[in-house]
Amino acid sequence: MGEPRRDGARDRAPAGGRDAGLQPERTRLAWRRTTLACTVVILLAGRRLLAGGAAGPVRAGLAALLALVWVAFVALAHRRVRELAAARRTPLTPRIALSAAGCTVALAAFGVTIASTH
Amino acid sequence: MILSDGLRSIGAAVRLWLAPSRVREEGSTPDYRFSLANERTFLAWLRTGLALLAGGFAVDQFLPRLHPAVRLTGTLVLLVAGALCALRAVNHWVRCERAMRRGEDLPLSRFPSVLALGVGALAVVMAVLVVLGRIG
């Protein structure tokens, strides 16, 4: 990482438009990996839903919840990746961080619900 | 200790959610590379939480020979641990971001050790179950 620069050039893209550490690229890939992990969990949750355990309308509602969580997470990741691609590097906002964590908590709640009401 | 810590941090996180600009109000903006490193750490913790959720769903679906009560317990423990990991990820990210803005030391946390010990204990239990022929 090296020493922090205190020369006021904090928000400027380094000369050449890329920094040697490729930080934005690495962060973008981290979002991609996390989206993939989220997708795997949602597929497992969907499989559990198909295996039964919930009545028709409840099942439809839970399926809609899973779809909503997936769309929300992909949208969040996409938005953040677009921000990272911009010349001015904005740090992650608490709103996006909380939303992403909220998706995870929602999936946990889904799992608890469906496992408890077998 | 950990629980009160967690509750306080959830309160702080909710307050931050309602006023997301508050993190930016104090101190000075750190080098963006440090903010991005903090973000990647946050995402790594989120993936840890998601992995625990995947484990919970796997215990629920792929261990049919396990006693139902044991299976449900294992499922719930993993799912709750995953949710806690996600909440902790946000909390730790906020605290690190603040520390960097104020020029303070980064916050220390017991959470990784506790989680590691928990996962280790779970692995031992699973190994014993396999040896006893209860699963697999």
Side-chain angles (χ1 to χ4, degrees):
Chain A
M1 286 291 277
E3 285 297 302
R5 290 178 318 177
R6 299 277 180 213
D7 57 4
R10 290 167 162 188
D11 285 329
R12 259 207 331 264
R18 304 194 106 187
D19 68 76
L22 298 176
Q23 302 276 342
E25 282 82 349
R26 285 159 60 192
T27 311
R28 179 172 59 81
L29 289 169
W31 273 102
R32 289 267 179 268
R33 285 197 297 279
T34 312
T35 307
L36 185 64
C38 187
T39 306
V40 168
V41 171
I42 286 173
L43 287 174
L44 277 170
R47 185 187 180 278
R48 179 64 172 77
L49 204 55
L50 288 174
V58 178
R59 190 186 296 198
L62 289 173
L65 173 79
L66 287 182
L68 190 71
V69 169
W70 190 75
V71 168
F73 202 96
V74 168
L76 280 172
H78 185 69
R79 182 176 147 191
R80 185 59 191 142
V81 165
R82 278 221 322 267
E83 282 179 7
L84 286 167
R88 188 184 151 72
R89 325 274 194 206
T90 50
L92 180 65
T93 55
R95 194 180 299 266
I96 292 183
L98 260 170
S99 307
C103 287
T104 311
V105 173
L107 289 174
F110 170 96
V112 169
T113 306
I114 201 151
S116 311
T117 58
H118 193 39
Chain B
M1 183 73 86
I2 289 176
L3 194 66
S4 68
D5 226 30
L7 285 176
R8 236 182 307 123
S9 66
I10 290 167
V14 170
R15 278 199 301 279
L16 278 168
W17 195 15
L18 298 173
S21 56
R22 257 190 32 192
V23 181
R24 305 245 181 99
E25 280 172 7
E26 43 194 327
S28 59
T29 306
D31 185 318
Y32 79 87
R33 291 173 298 176
F34 297 147
S35 286
L36 291 186
N38 190 18
E39 179 176 347
R40 288 195 299 276
T41 306
F42 161 74
L43 289 169
W45 274 107
L46 210 55
R47 285 195 299 278
T48 305
L50 286 164
L52 287 164
L53 291 191
F57 281 113
V59 167
D60 188 35
Q61 292 179 66
F62 303 129
L63 300 178
R65 285 169 53 199
L66 207 57
H67 188 282
V70 177
R71 192 170 56 222
L72 182 61
T73 306
T75 301
L76 294 183
V77 165
L78 284 164
L79 291 172
V80 169
L84 282 178
C85 254
L87 292 172
R88 189 265 175 186
V90 177
N91 174 46
H92 195 73
W93 171 78
V94 167
R95 286 171 65 197
C96 286
E97 203 70 18
R98 275 188 170 163
M100 288 195 295
R101 294 192 71 90
R102 294 171 178 169
E104 296 167 352
D105 289 347
L106 292 182
L108 295 170
S109 170
R110 242 186 255 99
F111 191 92
S113 325
V114 173
L115 180 70
L117 289 170
V119 170
L122 191 73
V124 169
V125 169
M126 293 302 264
V128 168
L129 285 171
V130 169
V131 168
L132 292 177
R134 294 294 172 84
I135 52 177

